[in-house]
Amino acid sequence: MPKLRAVNAVACGLIVVGNSLNLAVAGPIGYLGPAGSWTHQACLDLFGGRDLVPLARDQLFRSYADRKVERACVPVTTSVVGVTPYLDAVLDLPEVTIVAEYPKMLGYSLLAKPGTKREDIASVHAHPVAFEEVKPWLEQEMPQVRRVEAASGGAAAQAVARSSALDAASFGPRVGADIYQLVSLVDGIEEGPHNVTRWWVLGRQMPAPTGHDKTSLLVNASDASLSGILATFSEAGVQVLTIYERPSKKSLDTHRYLVEVAGHAKQGALEVFLEAHRELRVLGSYPRR
């Protein structure tokens, strides 16, 4: 595995938004690279620009599992498409501790090389989820352009920067313009409460209770057992907030469920409930945002 190289975004002249979470950590922080993605922007918001390591998808999860990074930042759900392609990879980890969640309202920028005119754009690059999130604007404003899928917003911006012609653009955060010497032709595309992505920050130690927490649980259940399992939550006075179904990869009538509940795993009714139901896997307890 290549040696991890942290990127100091401050030295690149990037704007860092203040961190409102107590997530200080000594050591590298991995995120889905290359730089210029929404996950990169989320890490800038949370951690500032130091010790950030851009990694490919598989390398990110291996680095977390092998403790080569102290934190890993992963987008897991969105208000437009539901679960992301990365949620299953988190659930597949043999050990995981979610230490924070970070929901962010997104507003995309249309990035292109200097000198590119909007009317000359023939192709746009973006992550598949990004295409879904900008779909209303794209179909109204640029219905004829060719859509090219990329691994991330950073990869999309990188592809545009490397193109030889002035007829390509990408969708992603505006930070990509600073990194790849691009310009933003349009900002705030599909910005609003309808376009929110939530990241998990994976760490090592469960945060202490704050009084306003959320706990993420992994529940393995068959079609026949699900209603009974859910009834036990209600009977114990545990408030279920969200449920996401994921395939068990074993049979059609068995599933993995991400069940998120109010409260902290080490406090109150939820602690008692989890002591009685050790078959439920605690993925993490963290401040609810």
Side-chain angles (χ1 to χ4, degrees):
M1 175 178 170
K3 183 179 179 180
L4 302 183
R5 182 176 63 87
V7 174
N8 185 344
V10 174
C12 298
L14 306 182
I15 297 173
V16 178
V17 180
N19 175 14
S20 59
L21 297 177
N22 182 20
L23 293 175
V25 61
I29 301 159
Y31 70 91
L32 292 164
S37 65
W38 275 117
T39 300
H40 183 201
Q41 182 61 64
C43 285
L44 292 173
D45 294 349
L46 294 170
F47 302 105
R50 299 185 184 279
D51 299 322
L52 303 184
V53 182
L55 299 169
R57 172 183 172 143
D58 292 345
Q59 189 183 17
L60 175 67
F61 292 106
R62 283 199 306 269
S63 296
Y64 175 76
D66 295 341
R67 295 181 173 266
K68 290 184 169 64
V69 295
E70 289 302 311
R71 295 278 191 271
C73 192
V74 183
V76 289
T77 59
T78 86
S79 56
V80 175
V81 301
V83 300
T84 72
Y86 311 107
L87 177 60
D88 285 342
V90 176
L91 302 184
D92 288 342
L93 287 167
E95 294 183 14
V96 64
T97 302
I98 305 164
V99 299
E101 67 174 355
Y102 181 54
K104 182 179 179 68
M105 186 189 303
L106 305 189
Y108 281 86
S109 293
L110 181 67
L111 306 180
K113 297 180 74 170
T116 301
K117 297 180 180 179
R118 181 171 160 182
E119 58 268 24
D120 294 333
I121 295 174
S123 62
V124 287
H125 300 246
H127 188 279
V129 173
F131 275 128
E132 290 298 317
E133 292 175 334
V134 302
K135 185 176 181 180
W137 185 92
L138 184 59
E139 291 188 344
Q140 178 176 327
E141 300 292 334
M142 306 176 72
Q144 302 304 321
V145 300
R146 183 168 60 94
R147 305 177 188 188
V148 182
E149 293 188 356
S152 69
Q158 190 178 72
V160 171
R162 291 174 175 174
S163 65
S164 57
L166 298 179
D167 62 354
S170 68
F171 287 112
R174 205 178 192 286
V175 69
D178 300 315
I179 296 170
Y180 298 109
Q181 291 76 56
L182 302 176
V183 296
S184 177
L185 302 180
V186 187
D187 289 320
I189 297 171
E190 291 300 328
E191 183 171 1
H194 63 287
N195 188 12
V196 177
T197 291
R198 178 174 62 129
W199 283 265
W200 277 344
V201 178
L202 311 183
R204 303 299 173 190
Q205 293 185 335
M206 183 182 295
T210 66
H212 187 66
D213 299 297
K214 177 189 289 187
T215 296
S216 295
L217 304 169
L218 180 59
V219 179
N220 293 291
S222 65
D223 291 346
S225 66
L226 178 61
S227 60
I229 293 172
L230 293 179
T232 63
F233 285 89
S234 179
E235 292 165 0
V238 175
Q239 180 188 3
V240 175
L241 301 173
T242 55
I243 302 174
Y244 295 99
E245 186 272 340
R246 307 306 303 144
S248 69
K249 304 177 184 178
K250 296 178 180 179
S251 67
L252 281 175
D253 62 349
T254 58
H255 314 265
R256 297 192 298 182
Y257 293 94
L258 170 64
V259 180
E260 299 190 300
V261 300
H264 195 283
K266 300 297 183 182
Q267 190 176 55
L270 181 55
E271 181 180 22
V272 175
F273 173 74
L274 292 173
E275 283 291 332
H277 294 276
R278 292 183 175 270
E279 72 277 9
L280 306 180
R281 181 183 173 192
V282 178
L283 301 175
S285 292
Y286 44 88
R288 183 177 172 187
R289 291 171 61 86

PDB file of all heavy atoms in Angstrom, residues 40-63:
ATOM      1  N   HIS A  40     -14.196  16.051   0.708  1.00  0.00           N
ATOM      2  CA  HIS A  40     -13.067  16.925   1.033  1.00  0.00           C
ATOM      3  C   HIS A  40     -13.581  18.205   1.698  1.00  0.00           C
ATOM      4  O   HIS A  40     -13.047  18.645   2.725  1.00  0.00           O
ATOM      5  CB  HIS A  40     -12.305  17.248  -0.243  1.00  0.00           C
ATOM      6  CG  HIS A  40     -11.085  18.089  -0.020  1.00  0.00           C
ATOM      7  ND1 HIS A  40     -10.497  18.839  -1.012  1.00  0.00           N
ATOM      8  CD2 HIS A  40     -10.334  18.314   1.099  1.00  0.00           C
ATOM      9  CE1 HIS A  40      -9.453  19.484  -0.533  1.00  0.00           C
ATOM     10  NE2 HIS A  40      -9.327  19.177   0.749  1.00  0.00           N
ATOM     11  N   GLN A  41     -14.633  18.806   1.123  1.00  0.00           N
ATOM     12  CA  GLN A  41     -15.181  20.030   1.712  1.00  0.00           C
ATOM     13  C   GLN A  41     -15.714  19.767   3.114  1.00  0.00           C
ATOM     14  O   GLN A  41     -15.535  20.584   4.023  1.00  0.00           O
ATOM     15  CB  GLN A  41     -16.291  20.593   0.830  1.00  0.00           C
ATOM     16  CG  GLN A  41     -16.888  21.902   1.341  1.00  0.00           C
ATOM     17  CD  GLN A  41     -15.874  23.019   1.426  1.00  0.00           C
ATOM     18  OE1 GLN A  41     -15.338  23.455   0.406  1.00  0.00           O
ATOM     19  NE2 GLN A  41     -15.585  23.483   2.640  1.00  0.00           N
ATOM     20  N   ALA A  42     -16.382  18.626   3.320  1.00  0.00           N
ATOM     21  CA  ALA A  42     -16.879  18.291   4.657  1.00  0.00           C
ATOM     22  C   ALA A  42     -15.728  18.195   5.649  1.00  0.00           C
ATOM     23  O   ALA A  42     -15.841  18.658   6.796  1.00  0.00           O
ATOM     24  CB  ALA A  42     -17.659  16.976   4.610  1.00  0.00           C
ATOM     25  N   CYS A  43     -14.612  17.607   5.233  1.00  0.00           N
ATOM     26  CA  CYS A  43     -13.444  17.501   6.125  1.00  0.00           C
ATOM     27  C   CYS A  43     -12.845  18.872   6.413  1.00  0.00           C
ATOM     28  O   CYS A  43     -12.382  19.129   7.533  1.00  0.00           O
ATOM     29  CB  CYS A  43     -12.396  16.583   5.515  1.00  0.00           C
ATOM     30  SG  CYS A  43     -12.817  14.826   5.602  1.00  0.00           S
ATOM     31  N   LEU A  44     -12.833  19.756   5.425  1.00  0.00           N
ATOM     32  CA  LEU A  44     -12.367  21.119   5.671  1.00  0.00           C
ATOM     33  C   LEU A  44     -13.248  21.800   6.708  1.00  0.00           C
ATOM     34  O   LEU A  44     -12.763  22.496   7.609  1.00  0.00           O
ATOM     35  CB  LEU A  44     -12.359  21.918   4.371  1.00  0.00           C
ATOM     36  CG  LEU A  44     -11.335  21.513   3.313  1.00  0.00           C
ATOM     37  CD1 LEU A  44     -11.581  22.284   2.024  1.00  0.00           C
ATOM     38  CD2 LEU A  44      -9.922  21.727   3.807  1.00  0.00           C
ATOM     39  N   ASP A  45     -14.552  21.594   6.596  1.00  0.00           N
ATOM     40  CA  ASP A  45     -15.484  22.168   7.566  1.00  0.00           C
ATOM     41  C   ASP A  45     -15.214  21.647   8.974  1.00  0.00           C
ATOM     42  O   ASP A  45     -15.229  22.400   9.945  1.00  0.00           O
ATOM     43  CB  ASP A  45     -16.934  21.824   7.195  1.00  0.00           C
ATOM     44  CG  ASP A  45     -17.397  22.455   5.892  1.00  0.00           C
ATOM     45  OD1 ASP A  45     -16.683  23.330   5.358  1.00  0.00           O
ATOM     46  OD2 ASP A  45     -18.479  22.060   5.415  1.00  0.00           O
ATOM     47  N   LEU A  46     -14.973  20.350   9.072  1.00  0.00           N
ATOM     48  CA  LEU A  46     -14.876  19.697  10.375  1.00  0.00           C
ATOM     49  C   LEU A  46     -13.499  19.784  11.011  1.00  0.00           C
ATOM     50  O   LEU A  46     -13.376  19.946  12.226  1.00  0.00           O
ATOM     51  CB  LEU A  46     -15.264  18.217  10.241  1.00  0.00           C
ATOM     52  CG  LEU A  46     -16.712  17.921   9.872  1.00  0.00           C
ATOM     53  CD1 LEU A  46     -16.881  16.449   9.547  1.00  0.00           C
ATOM     54  CD2 LEU A  46     -17.646  18.320  10.999  1.00  0.00           C
ATOM     55  N   PHE A  47     -12.454  19.651  10.181  1.00  0.00           N
ATOM     56  CA  PHE A  47     -11.109  19.490  10.725  1.00  0.00           C
ATOM     57  C   PHE A  47     -10.138  20.602  10.338  1.00  0.00           C
ATOM     58  O   PHE A  47      -9.008  20.627  10.834  1.00  0.00           O
ATOM     59  CB  PHE A  47     -10.508  18.157  10.253  1.00  0.00           C
ATOM     60  CG  PHE A  47     -11.330  16.949  10.626  1.00  0.00           C
ATOM     61  CD1 PHE A  47     -12.077  16.294   9.672  1.00  0.00           C
ATOM     62  CD2 PHE A  47     -11.353  16.484  11.926  1.00  0.00           C
ATOM     63  CE1 PHE A  47     -12.831  15.169  10.002  1.00  0.00           C
ATOM     64  CE2 PHE A  47     -12.099  15.367  12.270  1.00  0.00           C
ATOM     65  CZ  PHE A  47     -12.845  14.719  11.310  1.00  0.00           C
ATOM     66  N   GLY A  48     -10.533  21.493   9.442  1.00  0.00           N
ATOM     67  CA  GLY A  48      -9.569  22.417   8.889  1.00  0.00           C
ATOM     68  C   GLY A  48      -8.765  21.729   7.796  1.00  0.00           C
ATOM     69  O   GLY A  48      -9.101  20.634   7.349  1.00  0.00           O
ATOM     70  N   GLY A  49      -7.675  22.358   7.385  1.00  0.00           N
ATOM     71  CA  GLY A  49      -6.979  21.859   6.218  1.00  0.00           C
ATOM     72  C   GLY A  49      -5.803  20.949   6.460  1.00  0.00           C
ATOM     73  O   GLY A  49      -5.165  20.512   5.502  1.00  0.00           O
ATOM     74  N   ARG A  50      -5.480  20.627   7.708  1.00  0.00           N
ATOM     75  CA  ARG A  50      -4.271  19.849   7.976  1.00  0.00           C
ATOM     76  C   ARG A  50      -4.581  18.360   8.167  1.00  0.00           C
ATOM     77  O   ARG A  50      -5.633  17.985   8.649  1.00  0.00           O
ATOM     78  CB  ARG A  50      -3.556  20.389   9.226  1.00  0.00           C
ATOM     79  CG  ARG A  50      -3.115  21.842   9.064  1.00  0.00           C
ATOM     80  CD  ARG A  50      -2.308  22.331  10.267  1.00  0.00           C
ATOM     81  NE  ARG A  50      -1.978  23.753  10.129  1.00  0.00           N
ATOM     82  CZ  ARG A  50      -0.987  24.221   9.400  1.00  0.00           C
ATOM     83  NH1 ARG A  50      -0.214  23.386   8.729  1.00  0.00           N
ATOM     84  NH2 ARG A  50      -0.757  25.522   9.312  1.00  0.00           N
ATOM     85  N   ASP A  51      -3.614  17.544   7.760  1.00  0.00           N
ATOM     86  CA  ASP A  51      -3.656  16.095   7.996  1.00  0.00           C
ATOM     87  C   ASP A  51      -4.765  15.382   7.237  1.00  0.00           C
ATOM     88  O   ASP A  51      -5.167  14.284   7.615  1.00  0.00           O
ATOM     89  CB  ASP A  51      -3.781  15.787   9.498  1.00  0.00           C
ATOM     90  CG  ASP A  51      -2.617  16.310  10.291  1.00  0.00           C
ATOM     91  OD1 ASP A  51      -1.483  16.237   9.786  1.00  0.00           O
ATOM     92  OD2 ASP A  51      -2.830  16.809  11.413  1.00  0.00           O
ATOM     93  N   LEU A  52      -5.257  15.973   6.158  1.00  0.00           N
ATOM     94  CA  LEU A  52      -6.279  15.324   5.345  1.00  0.00           C
ATOM     95  C   LEU A  52      -5.617  14.483   4.264  1.00  0.00           C
ATOM     96  O   LEU A  52      -4.728  14.947   3.553  1.00  0.00           O
ATOM     97  CB  LEU A  52      -7.199  16.361   4.702  1.00  0.00           C
ATOM     98  CG  LEU A  52      -7.915  17.324   5.647  1.00  0.00           C
ATOM     99  CD1 LEU A  52      -8.856  18.228   4.849  1.00  0.00           C
ATOM    100  CD2 LEU A  52      -8.679  16.575   6.737  1.00  0.00           C
ATOM    101  N   VAL A  53      -6.064  13.225   4.140  1.00  0.00           N
ATOM    102  CA  VAL A  53      -5.442  12.289   3.196  1.00  0.00           C
ATOM    103  C   VAL A  53      -6.496  11.828   2.186  1.00  0.00           C
ATOM    104  O   VAL A  53      -7.433  11.117   2.548  1.00  0.00           O
ATOM    105  CB  VAL A  53      -4.873  11.063   3.936  1.00  0.00           C
ATOM    106  CG1 VAL A  53      -4.192  10.126   2.947  1.00  0.00           C
ATOM    107  CG2 VAL A  53      -3.913  11.490   5.029  1.00  0.00           C
ATOM    108  N   PRO A  54      -6.360  12.221   0.914  1.00  0.00           N
ATOM    109  CA  PRO A  54      -7.299  11.736  -0.105  1.00  0.00           C
ATOM    110  C   PRO A  54      -6.985  10.298  -0.493  1.00  0.00           C
ATOM    111  O   PRO A  54      -5.848   9.960  -0.811  1.00  0.00           O
ATOM    112  CB  PRO A  54      -7.060  12.698  -1.280  1.00  0.00           C
ATOM    113  CG  PRO A  54      -5.650  13.159  -1.113  1.00  0.00           C
ATOM    114  CD  PRO A  54      -5.369  13.154   0.367  1.00  0.00           C
ATOM    115  N   LEU A  55      -8.001   9.438  -0.461  1.00  0.00           N
ATOM    116  CA  LEU A  55      -7.811   8.017  -0.743  1.00  0.00           C
ATOM    117  C   LEU A  55      -8.900   7.512  -1.670  1.00  0.00           C
ATOM    118  O   LEU A  55     -10.043   7.986  -1.627  1.00  0.00           O
ATOM    119  CB  LEU A  55      -7.851   7.205   0.556  1.00  0.00           C
ATOM    120  CG  LEU A  55      -6.778   7.528   1.607  1.00  0.00           C
ATOM    121  CD1 LEU A  55      -7.120   6.847   2.931  1.00  0.00           C
ATOM    122  CD2 LEU A  55      -5.401   7.104   1.119  1.00  0.00           C
ATOM    123  N   ALA A  56      -8.558   6.537  -2.488  1.00  0.00           N
ATOM    124  CA  ALA A  56      -9.557   5.836  -3.284  1.00  0.00           C
ATOM    125  C   ALA A  56     -10.470   5.042  -2.348  1.00  0.00           C
ATOM    126  O   ALA A  56     -10.118   4.749  -1.207  1.00  0.00           O
ATOM    127  CB  ALA A  56      -8.892   4.915  -4.291  1.00  0.00           C
ATOM    128  N   ARG A  57     -11.634   4.682  -2.837  1.00  0.00           N
ATOM    129  CA  ARG A  57     -12.655   4.041  -1.990  1.00  0.00           C
ATOM    130  C   ARG A  57     -12.114   2.851  -1.198  1.00  0.00           C
ATOM    131  O   ARG A  57     -12.195   2.827   0.034  1.00  0.00           O
ATOM    132  CB  ARG A  57     -13.829   3.600  -2.871  1.00  0.00           C
ATOM    133  CG  ARG A  57     -14.855   2.751  -2.137  1.00  0.00           C
ATOM    134  CD  ARG A  57     -15.944   2.279  -3.061  1.00  0.00           C
ATOM    135  NE  ARG A  57     -16.793   1.315  -2.383  1.00  0.00           N
ATOM    136  CZ  ARG A  57     -18.107   1.230  -2.555  1.00  0.00           C
ATOM    137  NH1 ARG A  57     -18.710   2.050  -3.382  1.00  0.00           N
ATOM    138  NH2 ARG A  57     -18.804   0.331  -1.917  1.00  0.00           N
ATOM    139  N   ASP A  58     -11.582   1.847  -1.880  1.00  0.00           N
ATOM    140  CA  ASP A  58     -11.121   0.651  -1.178  1.00  0.00           C
ATOM    141  C   ASP A  58      -9.963   0.957  -0.240  1.00  0.00           C
ATOM    142  O   ASP A  58      -9.873   0.393   0.861  1.00  0.00           O
ATOM    143  CB  ASP A  58     -10.716  -0.430  -2.179  1.00  0.00           C
ATOM    144  CG  ASP A  58     -11.901  -0.988  -2.951  1.00  0.00           C
ATOM    145  OD1 ASP A  58     -13.046  -0.758  -2.528  1.00  0.00           O
ATOM    146  OD2 ASP A  58     -11.675  -1.644  -3.986  1.00  0.00           O
ATOM    147  N   GLN A  59      -9.098   1.849  -0.655  1.00  0.00           N
ATOM    148  CA  GLN A  59      -7.952   2.209   0.178  1.00  0.00           C
ATOM    149  C   GLN A  59      -8.406   2.917   1.451  1.00  0.00           C
ATOM    150  O   GLN A  59      -7.823   2.725   2.520  1.00  0.00           O
ATOM    151  CB  GLN A  59      -6.989   3.092  -0.605  1.00  0.00           C
ATOM    152  CG  GLN A  59      -5.668   3.342   0.118  1.00  0.00           C
ATOM    153  CD  GLN A  59      -4.765   4.282  -0.638  1.00  0.00           C
ATOM    154  OE1 GLN A  59      -5.206   5.007  -1.537  1.00  0.00           O
ATOM    155  NE2 GLN A  59      -3.493   4.279  -0.298  1.00  0.00           N
ATOM    156  N   LEU A  60      -9.461   3.722   1.351  1.00  0.00           N
ATOM    157  CA  LEU A  60      -9.974   4.425   2.525  1.00  0.00           C
ATOM    158  C   LEU A  60     -10.433   3.436   3.595  1.00  0.00           C
ATOM    159  O   LEU A  60     -10.061   3.552   4.768  1.00  0.00           O
ATOM    160  CB  LEU A  60     -11.137   5.334   2.131  1.00  0.00           C
ATOM    161  CG  LEU A  60     -11.852   6.034   3.277  1.00  0.00           C
ATOM    162  CD1 LEU A  60     -10.936   7.054   3.956  1.00  0.00           C
ATOM    163  CD2 LEU A  60     -13.131   6.716   2.797  1.00  0.00           C
ATOM    164  N   PHE A  61     -11.210   2.445   3.193  1.00  0.00           N
ATOM    165  CA  PHE A  61     -11.738   1.497   4.168  1.00  0.00           C
ATOM    166  C   PHE A  61     -10.649   0.556   4.694  1.00  0.00           C
ATOM    167  O   PHE A  61     -10.671   0.195   5.878  1.00  0.00           O
ATOM    168  CB  PHE A  61     -12.923   0.737   3.574  1.00  0.00           C
ATOM    169  CG  PHE A  61     -14.125   1.617   3.343  1.00  0.00           C
ATOM    170  CD1 PHE A  61     -14.479   2.016   2.070  1.00  0.00           C
ATOM    171  CD2 PHE A  61     -14.869   2.080   4.409  1.00  0.00           C
ATOM    172  CE1 PHE A  61     -15.564   2.844   1.858  1.00  0.00           C
ATOM    173  CE2 PHE A  61     -15.950   2.913   4.224  1.00  0.00           C
ATOM    174  CZ  PHE A  61     -16.304   3.301   2.931  1.00  0.00           C
ATOM    175  N   ARG A  62      -9.694   0.198   3.840  1.00  0.00           N
ATOM    176  CA  ARG A  62      -8.571  -0.605   4.327  1.00  0.00           C
ATOM    177  C   ARG A  62      -7.725   0.185   5.319  1.00  0.00           C
ATOM    178  O   ARG A  62      -7.273  -0.351   6.341  1.00  0.00           O
ATOM    179  CB  ARG A  62      -7.695  -1.060   3.158  1.00  0.00           C
ATOM    180  CG  ARG A  62      -8.235  -2.205   2.339  1.00  0.00           C
ATOM    181  CD  ARG A  62      -7.136  -2.870   1.527  1.00  0.00           C
ATOM    182  NE  ARG A  62      -6.402  -1.925   0.708  1.00  0.00           N
ATOM    183  CZ  ARG A  62      -6.724  -1.607  -0.545  1.00  0.00           C
ATOM    184  NH1 ARG A  62      -7.777  -2.158  -1.111  1.00  0.00           N
ATOM    185  NH2 ARG A  62      -5.984  -0.742  -1.223  1.00  0.00           N
ATOM    186  N   SER A  63      -7.513   1.445   5.030  1.00  0.00           N
ATOM    187  CA  SER A  63      -6.681   2.280   5.907  1.00  0.00           C
ATOM    188  C   SER A  63      -7.331   2.469   7.260  1.00  0.00           C
ATOM    189  O   SER A  63      -6.646   2.494   8.292  1.00  0.00           O
ATOM    190  CB  SER A  63      -6.417   3.633   5.238  1.00  0.00           C
ATOM    191  OG  SER A  63      -5.675   3.475   4.055  1.00  0.00           O
TER     192      SER A  63
END
